[in-house]
Coordinates of all heavy atoms in Angstrom, one line a residue:
E303 N 310.9 95.4 86.6 CA 311.8 96.4 86.1 C 311.8 97.6 87.1 O 310.8 97.9 87.7 CB 311.2 96.9 84.8 CG 311.3 95.9 83.6 CD 310.8 96.5 82.3 OE1 311.5 97.2 81.7 OE2 309.6 96.1 82.0
E304 N 313.0 98.1 87.2 CA 313.2 99.3 88.0 C 313.7 100.4 87.1 O 314.7 100.2 86.4 CB 314.2 99.1 89.2 CG 313.7 98.0 90.1 CD 314.9 97.6 91.1 OE1 315.7 98.5 91.4 OE2 314.9 96.4 91.5
N305 N 313.0 101.5 87.1 CA 313.4 102.6 86.2 C 314.7 103.3 86.6 O 315.2 103.0 87.7 CB 312.3 103.7 86.1 CG 311.1 103.1 85.4 OD1 311.2 102.3 84.5 ND2 309.9 103.5 85.8
V306 N 315.2 104.2 85.8 CA 316.4 105.0 86.2 C 316.1 105.7 87.5 O 315.1 106.4 87.6 CB 316.7 106.0 85.1 CG1 317.9 106.8 85.5 CG2 317.0 105.2 83.8
P307 N 317.0 105.6 88.5 CA 316.7 106.2 89.8 C 316.6 107.8 89.7 O 317.3 108.4 89.0 CB 317.9 105.8 90.7 CG 318.6 104.8 89.9 CD 318.2 104.9 88.5
V308 N 315.7 108.3 90.6 CA 315.6 109.8 90.7 C 316.6 110.2 91.7 O 316.7 109.7 92.9 CB 314.2 110.2 91.1 CG1 314.1 111.7 91.4 CG2 313.2 109.7 90.1
V309 N 317.5 111.2 91.4 CA 318.5 111.7 92.3 C 318.2 113.1 92.9 O 318.9 113.6 93.7 CB 319.9 111.7 91.6 CG1 320.3 110.3 91.3 CG2 319.9 112.6 90.4
G310 N 317.1 113.7 92.4 CA 316.7 115.0 92.8 C 315.7 115.6 92.0 O 315.1 114.9 91.1
F311 N 315.4 116.9 92.2 CA 314.4 117.6 91.4 C 314.9 118.9 90.9 O 315.7 119.5 91.7 CB 313.1 117.8 92.2 CG 312.4 116.5 92.6 CD1 312.8 115.8 93.8 CD2 311.5 115.9 91.8 CE1 312.2 114.6 94.2 CE2 310.9 114.7 92.2 CZ 311.3 114.0 93.3
D312 N 314.5 119.3 89.7 CA 314.9 120.7 89.3 C 314.0 121.7 89.9 O 313.1 121.4 90.7 CB 314.9 120.7 87.7 CG 313.5 120.5 87.1 OD1 312.5 120.6 87.8 OD2 313.5 120.3 85.9
L313 N 314.2 123.0 89.5 CA 313.5 124.1 90.1 C 312.0 124.1 89.8 O 311.2 124.6 90.5 CB 314.1 125.4 89.7 CG 315.5 125.7 90.2 CD1 316.1 127.0 89.6 CD2 315.5 125.7 91.7
A314 N 311.7 123.4 88.7 CA 310.3 123.3 88.3 C 309.6 122.1 88.9 O 308.4 121.9 88.7 CB 310.1 123.2 86.8
G315 N 310.3 121.3 89.7 CA 309.8 120.2 90.4 C 309.8 118.9 89.6 O 309.3 117.9 90.1
R316 N 310.4 118.9 88.4 CA 310.5 117.7 87.6 C 311.7 116.8 88.1 O 312.7 117.3 88.5 CB 310.8 118.1 86.2 CG 309.6 118.8 85.5 CD 309.9 119.0 84.0 NE 311.0 119.9 83.9 CZ 311.0 121.2 83.6 NH1 309.8 121.8 83.5 NH2 312.1 121.9 83.4
P317 N 311.5 115.5 88.1 CA 312.5 114.6 88.6 C 313.8 114.6 87.8 O 313.7 114.7 86.5 CB 311.9 113.2 88.7 CG 310.7 113.3 87.7 CD 310.3 114.8 87.7
I318 N 314.9 114.6 88.4 CA 316.2 114.4 87.7 C 316.7 113.0 87.8 O 316.8 112.5 89.0 CB 317.3 115.4 88.2 CG1 316.8 116.8 88.1 CG2 318.6 115.1 87.6 CD1 317.7 117.8 88.8
R319 N 316.8 112.3 86.7 CA 317.2 110.9 86.8 C 318.6 110.7 86.3 O 319.1 111.4 85.5 CB 316.3 110.0 85.8 CG 314.8 110.1 86.3 CD 313.9 109.2 85.4 NE 312.6 109.3 85.8 CZ 312.0 108.5 86.8 NH1 312.8 107.6 87.4 NH2 310.8 108.6 87.1
Q320 N 319.3 109.7 87.0 CA 320.7 109.5 86.7 C 321.0 108.0 86.9 O 320.6 107.4 87.9 CB 321.6 110.3 87.6 CG 323.1 110.2 87.3 CD 323.9 111.1 88.1 OE1 323.4 111.9 88.9 NE2 325.2 111.0 88.0
G321 N 321.7 107.4 85.9 CA 322.0 106.0 86.0 C 321.4 105.2 84.9 O 321.0 105.7 83.9
F322 N 321.1 103.9 85.2 CA 320.6 103.0 84.2 C 319.4 102.2 84.8 O 319.4 102.0 86.1 CB 321.7 102.0 83.8 CG 322.8 102.6 83.0 CD1 323.9 103.1 83.6 CD2 322.7 102.7 81.6 CE1 325.0 103.6 82.9 CE2 323.8 103.3 80.9 CZ 324.9 103.7 81.6
P323 N 318.5 101.7 84.0 CA 317.5 100.9 84.6 C 318.0 99.5 85.0 O 319.1 99.1 84.6 CB 316.5 100.8 83.4 CG 317.2 101.1 82.2 CD 318.3 102.0 82.6
T324 N 317.2 98.8 85.8 CA 317.6 97.5 86.3 C 316.4 96.6 86.1 O 315.3 97.0 86.2 CB 318.0 97.6 87.8 OG1 319.1 98.5 88.0 CG2 318.3 96.3 88.4
I325 N 316.7 95.3 85.9 CA 315.6 94.3 85.8 C 316.0 93.1 86.6 O 317.2 92.7 86.6 CB 315.3 94.0 84.3 CG1 314.1 93.2 84.2 CG2 316.5 93.3 83.7 CD1 313.6 93.1 82.7
T326 N 315.0 92.5 87.4 CA 315.3 91.3 88.1 C 314.4 90.2 87.6 O 313.2 90.4 87.6 CB 315.0 91.6 89.6 OG1 315.8 92.6 90.1 CG2 315.3 90.3 90.5
F327 N 315.0 89.1 87.2 CA 314.2 87.9 86.7 C 314.1 87.0 87.8 O 315.0 86.8 88.6 CB 315.0 87.3 85.5 CG 315.1 88.1 84.3 CD1 316.3 88.9 84.1 CD2 314.1 88.2 83.4 CE1 316.4 89.7 83.0 CE2 314.2 89.1 82.3 CZ 315.4 89.8 82.1
V328 N 312.9 86.4 87.9 CA 312.6 85.5 89.1 C 312.0 84.2 88.6 O 311.2 84.2 87.7 CB 311.6 86.1 90.0 CG1 311.2 85.2 91.2 CG2 312.1 87.5 90.6
W329 N 312.5 83.1 89.1 CA 312.0 81.7 88.8 C 311.5 81.2 90.2 O 312.1 81.3 91.2 CB 313.1 80.8 88.4 CG 313.6 81.1 87.0 CD1 313.2 80.5 85.8 CD2 314.7 82.0 86.6 NE1 313.9 81.0 84.8 CE2 314.8 82.0 85.2 CE3 315.5 82.9 87.4 CZ2 315.7 82.8 84.5 CZ3 316.4 83.7 86.7 CH2 316.5 83.6 85.3
D330 N 310.2 80.7 90.1 CA 309.6 80.1 91.3 C 310.4 78.8 91.7 O 310.7 78.5 92.9 CB 308.2 79.8 91.1 CG 307.3 81.0 91.0 OD1 307.8 82.1 91.5 OD2 306.3 81.0 90.3
I331 N 310.7 78.0 90.7 CA 311.4 76.7 90.9 C 312.2 76.4 89.7 O 311.8 76.6 88.5 CB 310.3 75.6 91.2 CG1 311.0 74.3 91.5 CG2 309.3 75.5 90.1 CD1 310.1 73.3 92.1
L332 N 313.4 75.9 89.9 CA 314.3 75.4 88.8 C 314.8 74.0 89.3 O 315.2 73.8 90.4 CB 315.5 76.3 88.6 CG 315.2 77.6 87.9 CD1 316.5 78.4 87.8 CD2 314.6 77.4 86.5
D333 N 314.8 73.0 88.3 CA 315.4 71.8 88.7 C 317.0 71.9 88.5 O 317.5 72.9 88.1 CB 314.9 70.6 87.8 CG 315.1 70.8 86.3 OD1 316.0 71.5 85.9 OD2 314.4 70.1 85.6
Q334 N 317.7 70.9 88.9 CA 319.2 70.9 88.9 C 319.7 71.3 87.5 O 320.6 72.1 87.4 CB 319.7 69.6 89.4 CG 321.2 69.6 89.5 CD 321.8 70.4 90.6 OE1 321.3 70.2 91.8 NE2 322.7 71.3 90.3
A335 N 319.2 70.7 86.5 CA 319.7 70.9 85.1 C 319.5 72.3 84.7 O 320.4 73.0 84.1 CB 319.1 70.0 84.1
K336 N 318.4 72.9 85.0 CA 318.1 74.3 84.6 C 318.9 75.3 85.4 O 319.3 76.3 84.9 CB 316.6 74.6 84.6 CG 315.8 73.8 83.5 CD 314.3 74.0 83.7 CE 313.6 73.2 82.6 NZ 312.2 73.1 82.8
M337 N 319.1 75.0 86.7 CA 319.9 75.9 87.5 C 321.4 75.8 87.1 O 322.0 76.8 87.1 CB 319.8 75.4 89.0 CG 320.5 76.3 90.0 SD 319.7 78.0 90.0 CE 321.0 78.9 90.9
T338 N 321.8 74.6 86.7 CA 323.2 74.5 86.2 C 323.4 75.3 84.9 O 324.4 76.0 84.7 CB 323.6 73.0 86.0 OG1 323.4 72.3 87.2 CG2 325.0 72.9 85.4
A339 N 322.4 75.3 84.0 CA 322.4 76.0 82.8 C 322.5 77.5 83.1 O 323.2 78.3 82.4 CB 321.2 75.7 81.9
L340 N 321.7 78.0 84.1 CA 321.7 79.4 84.4 C 323.1 79.8 85.0 O 323.6 80.8 84.6 CB 320.6 79.6 85.4 CG 320.5 81.1 86.0 CD1 320.2 82.1 84.8 CD2 319.5 81.2 87.0
M341 N 323.6 79.0 85.8 CA 324.9 79.3 86.4 C 326.0 79.2 85.3 O 327.0 80.0 85.4 CB 325.3 78.3 87.6 CG 324.4 78.5 88.8 SD 324.5 80.2 89.5 CE 326.2 80.2 90.1
D342 N 325.9 78.3 84.4 CA 326.9 78.2 83.3 C 326.8 79.4 82.4 O 327.9 79.8 81.8 CB 326.8 76.9 82.5 CG 327.2 75.7 83.3 OD1 327.9 75.9 84.3 OD2 326.9 74.6 82.9
A343 N 325.7 80.0 82.2 CA 325.5 81.2 81.3 C 326.0 82.4 82.0 O 326.3 83.4 81.3 CB 324.0 81.3 80.9
W344 N 326.0 82.4 83.3 CA 326.6 83.6 84.0 C 328.1 83.4 84.2 O 328.5 82.5 84.8 CB 325.9 83.7 85.4 CG 326.5 84.8 86.2 CD1 326.2 86.2 86.1 CD2 327.4 84.7 87.3 NE1 327.0 86.9 87.0 CE2 327.7 86.0 87.8 CE3 327.9 83.6 88.0 CZ2 328.5 86.2 88.9 CZ3 328.8 83.9 89.0 CH2 329.1 85.1 89.5
D345 N 328.8 84.4 83.7 CA 330.3 84.3 83.7 C 330.8 85.4 84.7 O 330.8 86.6 84.4 CB 330.8 84.5 82.3 CG 332.4 84.4 82.3 OD1 333.0 84.1 83.3 OD2 332.9 84.6 81.2
P346 N 331.3 85.0 85.9 CA 331.8 86.0 86.8 C 333.0 86.8 86.3 O 333.3 87.9 86.7 CB 332.2 85.2 88.0 CG 332.4 83.8 87.5 CD 331.5 83.6 86.3

């Protein structure tokens, strides 16, 4: 997971965050059927 990015700091030194969080899912290995299912679930 990546938190909302810090774009600067206010006068008190607290971070100012803007945007949305991001998450990256990782598979070490997928066989052909599971990779096809993943690609079919992703709709460009």
Side-chain angles (χ1 to χ4, degrees):
E303 294 180 79
E304 299 170 31
N305 292 327
V306 177
V308 175
V309 295
F311 296 90
D312 63 14
L313 295 175
R316 293 184 299 260
I318 299 170
R319 297 182 180 274
Q320 184 176 355
F322 294 88
T324 298
I325 190 167
T326 303
F327 297 96
V328 179
W329 290 264
D330 294 333
I331 183 171
L332 287 176
D333 63 20
Q334 183 70 54
K336 290 174 182 170
M337 185 67 194
T338 300
L340 178 61
M341 292 301 292
D342 286 347
W344 175 76
D345 182 3

